[in-house]
Amino acid sequence: NENVAVSGAQLPRAGSVIGGLNPSWVDGEHRVVVHTIEGQVKRGVIRNADLLDDAISLDPLSGVPPERIPTARLKAIFFMLSNGSAVAQGAGRKMRITFNDGRQVMGFADDFSTHDPGFFLTPADAGTADRIFIYRASVRSVAEA
């Protein structure tokens, strides 16, 4: 997995596909809420990460070292809106994702593919999350809404 550093340029949103770069790579620092398949919810920051690596490093910003969380344990990562940020407009197909635990989320996906181990979803409701990275192994079903 080769990462490309872009200096002096506007950084893309998490999961943006630029010139064929890895769509699971997130550049920069992002406030996130991580949901595990065991039902845990963890808040913190991730920095310059490939969301499909064996593990992600979550910095809880509370003076303790970052926690390495195996991606096999992850259900979804919610990328939180920055203060004053506009909510992204949904692009792609509107979908209802049902997780293995029965919980659901609705949104729009333009990079959805049945072959990818994960994909980004733009939430249908204007809440506090800008984008959600969904781990396919945690999904029971995907339906067009």
Side-chain angles (χ1 to χ4, degrees):
N1 215 21
E2 192 172 319
N3 301 324
V4 179
V6 180
S7 71
Q10 174 97 15
L11 293 178
R13 266 185 30 202
S16 295
V17 179
I18 296 178
L21 296 179
N22 181 352
S24 64
W25 173 257
V26 290
D27 219 353
E29 182 175 287
H30 299 274
R31 282 185 324 114
V32 296
V33 176
V34 173
H35 291 256
T36 69
I37 58 175
E38 301 90 2
Q40 292 178 314
V41 177
K42 299 172 181 264
R43 297 176 187 278
V45 170
I46 61 172
R47 293 176 185 89
N48 301 324
D50 184 346
L51 303 178
L52 296 178
D53 272 350
D54 293 337
I56 63 160
S57 185
L58 181 69
D59 186 349
L61 295 179
S62 59
V64 297
E67 177 183 1
R68 297 274 303 159
I69 304 170
T71 52
R73 291 184 44 218
L74 296 180
K75 178 167 91 171
I77 300 176
F78 289 73
F79 287 79
M80 308 312 289
L81 283 168
S82 304
N83 291 337
S85 293
V87 176
Q89 293 296 320
R93 300 186 332 211
K94 188 170 185 183
M95 313 183 126
R96 174 181 291 117
I97 309 298
T98 304
F99 293 100
N100 292 329
D101 62 7
R103 294 181 185 230
Q104 294 185 341
V105 65
M106 297 261 300
F108 299 89
D110 56 3
D111 58 353
F112 173 79
S113 166
T114 56
H115 301 100
D116 293 336
F119 60 95
F120 275 96
L121 187 78
T122 302
D125 59 346
T128 57
D130 177 40
R131 308 258 290 166
I132 306 166
F133 190 79
I134 309 268
Y135 288 88
R136 188 171 307 283
S138 67
V139 173
R140 179 189 311 161
S141 66
V142 177
E144 287 202 46

